[in-house]
Amino acid sequence: MKKRRQRVSEDDVTISRHNARPQTSFNGEENALPIPVDLVFEMFSRLPAKYVAICRCVSKLWASALGCADFTELFFTRSLDRPQLLFAGKNRGVFSFFSSPQLQNPDVNPSTVVVTPLMHLPLDGICEMYSGPVHGLVCLINKRIINEKTETVPVICNPSTGQFLPLPKVKTERVNVISYLGYDPVGIQFKVLAMTCPNPKYGNLRRICGEHQVLTLGCGKLSWRMIDSSVPPQLIYKDFETGICINGGLYYPASVDGVLKVICFDVRSEKFTVINLDKGMVSLNLCGTLVNYKGKLGALDVSDIELRPVTGHTKCFQLWVLIDAEKHEWLKYSYVLPPLWKNVVGKAFVGVTGTNEIVLSTKYSFAPFRVFYYNLENQTVRKVEMQGMDIINNDFQSFVDHVEDVKLMEMFPT
């Protein structure tokens, strides 16, 4: 009787393995995986991107499965429902990225969150980010002095997988280069916009850009090409030059002919549009932060110039939303901060989340790194202390709605 049960068990296992085995593999040959491909994708799509990158190193079969277009698209779609806060900064020659879950439930208020280290990139010279994460990727500008000449190399990074791709050097005789990363959702293409500037005439605060070059990722050999700009030279202020990409439009603040504007670069058509500000808007060159507000361009600013940056003494702020770019129409929202806000040690706006909360981050040497969520509907404040970012000094940047993407840099041939 005992031998009979053993024989039946072995037969059952054999049949079970045979039925569970998929008919084809990712390369069209017989697959040795004992579970269906769809189930494999379903399981791995629930992992953090960092672990997906590790699993790709297990074998060629795993690398093929987790690197195919179907899985990367599924993973990205899932990531849209779990956006992250992204933190970036340099300290002691290393540019580091960290992430943390972005609070989605207004009723949940954790006192502390441990950040996740994503990647540490050793880079000599100056490293700058002029635009936030776009579709999971970021663009760094690495400036080094070699043989008394400034060499500028844009670097595309995927913080989620830890990969980076140095781009060709920008061909220019000018010293300064400002680069923004954009994404065309229709053509499904990443493009890098580079603007070159001569030596700043006003110290290191602002730069006049005239030349415009574009590099398209994923279309053959990577190379820069000059494009015609319909806008005159733009004066860009160093402290507030961060751009934002929304639905295929790349926006950044600049002064044109002495008047502050918002420039929109259409990633698909590669055309520029100049957007006038509302007369009632406070000058963005001093404190304004461009944000994505429900799929539209928004600008956050405090109403009192003397109280910048944002602190516990800030009593109110304004949110301007671009309603019609062609007619230069903006809609103004004003918010009075609750008494709890006086306990905030603030620094700067980060952005607006999909749950209609404004995020502000701060890090001073005498205080731990904190993130504040201000709910626009309930007018409530949530304070979260971020642990694990001690290696980053005060010079750091924070971004909302970072989405993990596990696409490999091999998709961008050099």
Side-chain angles (χ1 to χ4, degrees), residues 5-76:
R5 280 201 301 267
Q6 184 177 4
R7 184 171 59 254
V8 172
S9 176
E10 290 174 353
D11 291 341
D12 289 343
V13 171
T14 302
I15 294 173
S16 175
R17 287 179 177 174
H18 177 74
N19 292 339
R21 182 178 300 169
Q23 297 298 315
T24 58
S25 67
F26 307 101
N27 56 9
E29 300 176 356
E30 184 179 352
N31 195 347
L33 287 176
I35 51 180
V37 174
D38 292 343
L39 185 56
V40 173
F41 286 178
E42 181 69 22
M43 292 188 299
F44 280 95
S45 66
R46 299 175 183 272
L47 293 177
K50 180 178 180 179
Y51 295 106
V52 173
I54 294 174
C55 291
R56 280 173 169 162
C57 302
V58 173
S59 67
K60 292 183 178 180
L61 179 61
W62 284 43
S64 175
L66 302 181
C68 71
D70 290 341
F71 174 74
T72 56
E73 188 62 31
L74 173 63
F75 189 95
F76 184 81

Side-chain angles (χ1 to χ4, degrees), residues 211-229:
E211 297 178 347
H212 297 80
Q213 301 180 45
V214 170
L215 183 146
T216 302
L217 298 174
C219 290
K221 186 177 180 180
L222 300 179
S223 61
W224 294 96
R225 47 190 172 80
M226 196 76 67
I227 62 172
D228 294 330
S229 172

Side-chain angles (χ1 to χ4, degrees), residues 121-141:
L121 188 60
L123 291 173
D124 297 331
I126 300 174
C127 295
E128 296 176 302
M129 282 182 62
Y130 298 105
S131 58
V134 179
H135 214 73
L137 303 182
V138 298
C139 180
L140 294 177
I141 284 292

Side-chain angles (χ1 to χ4, degrees), residues 32 53 124 166 276 349 352 365 374 391:
D124 297 331
N276 298 330
F349 291 120
V352 181
S365 57
Y374 174 74
I391 67 173

Side-chain angles (χ1 to χ4, degrees), residues 137-373:
L137 303 182
V138 298
C139 180
L140 294 177
I141 284 292
N142 184 211
K143 300 179 181 179
R144 299 177 299 173
I145 299 179
I146 299 178
N147 296 328
E148 300 182 354
K149 291 185 178 181
T150 301
E151 180 181 89
T152 302
V153 178
V155 181
I156 300 296
C157 299
N158 187 335
S160 301
T161 63
Q163 289 184 305
F164 64 95
L165 175 66
L167 299 181
K169 303 173 186 177
V170 180
K171 297 179 180 180
T172 181
E173 297 296 330
R174 299 186 172 193
V175 174
N176 291 305
V177 177
I178 296 175
S179 292
Y180 298 108
L181 177 63
Y183 179 74
D184 169 25
V186 177
I188 313 179
Q189 284 186 329
F190 288 93
K191 293 183 181 180
V192 182
L193 171 66
M195 299 182 290
T196 59
C197 321
N199 286 324
K201 297 181 179 180
Y202 307 96
N204 198 30
L205 295 178
R206 43 190 181 178
R207 310 164 184 186
I208 300 177
C209 298
E211 297 178 347
H212 297 80
Q213 301 180 45
V214 170
L215 183 146
T216 302
L217 298 174
C219 290
K221 186 177 180 180
L222 300 179
S223 61
W224 294 96
R225 47 190 172 80
M226 196 76 67
I227 62 172
D228 294 330
S229 172
S230 58
V231 296
Q234 307 147 48
L235 183 62
I236 297 183
Y237 294 76
K238 179 175 175 56
D239 293 336
F240 304 98
E241 58 203 3
T242 302
I244 185 171
C245 187
I246 305 175
N247 298 328
L250 183 57
Y251 301 90
Y252 58 93
S255 179
V256 180
D257 296 330
V259 181
L260 192 66
K261 311 278 186 178
V262 170
I263 310 298
C264 175
F265 174 74
D266 187 275
V267 180
R268 183 172 178 80
S269 66
E270 301 181 359
K271 302 296 183 181
F272 289 87
T273 302
V274 180
I275 303 173
N276 298 330
L277 303 184
D278 188 277
K279 294 182 180 179
M281 294 179 71
V282 178
S283 298
L284 291 178
N285 63 320
L286 294 178
C287 190
T289 301
L290 299 184
V291 297
N292 184 341
Y293 180 73
K294 298 181 179 180
K296 295 182 178 292
L297 176 67
L300 280 169
D301 205 359
V302 295
S303 57
D304 194 336
I305 298 177
E306 296 181 357
L307 294 181
R308 293 171 174 147
V310 182
T311 68
H313 299 289
T314 304
K315 297 181 179 180
C316 61
F317 63 88
Q318 299 167 343
L319 171 63
W320 295 84
V321 181
L322 181 63
I323 302 301
D324 192 321
E326 294 183 358
K327 297 181 179 179
H328 310 278
E329 291 183 358
W330 297 78
L331 186 61
K332 174 186 176 183
Y333 297 91
S334 296
Y335 299 93
V336 178
L337 294 167
L340 178 63
W341 190 260
K342 66 181 181 180
N343 297 320
V344 172
V345 181
K347 182 178 180 182
F349 291 120
V350 176
V352 181
T353 68
T355 54
N356 211 26
E357 289 186 294
I358 290 178
V359 178
L360 182 143
S361 67
T362 174
K363 187 178 189 297
Y364 293 106
S365 57
F366 58 86
F369 176 46
R370 295 188 178 98
V371 170
F372 300 90
Y373 292 80

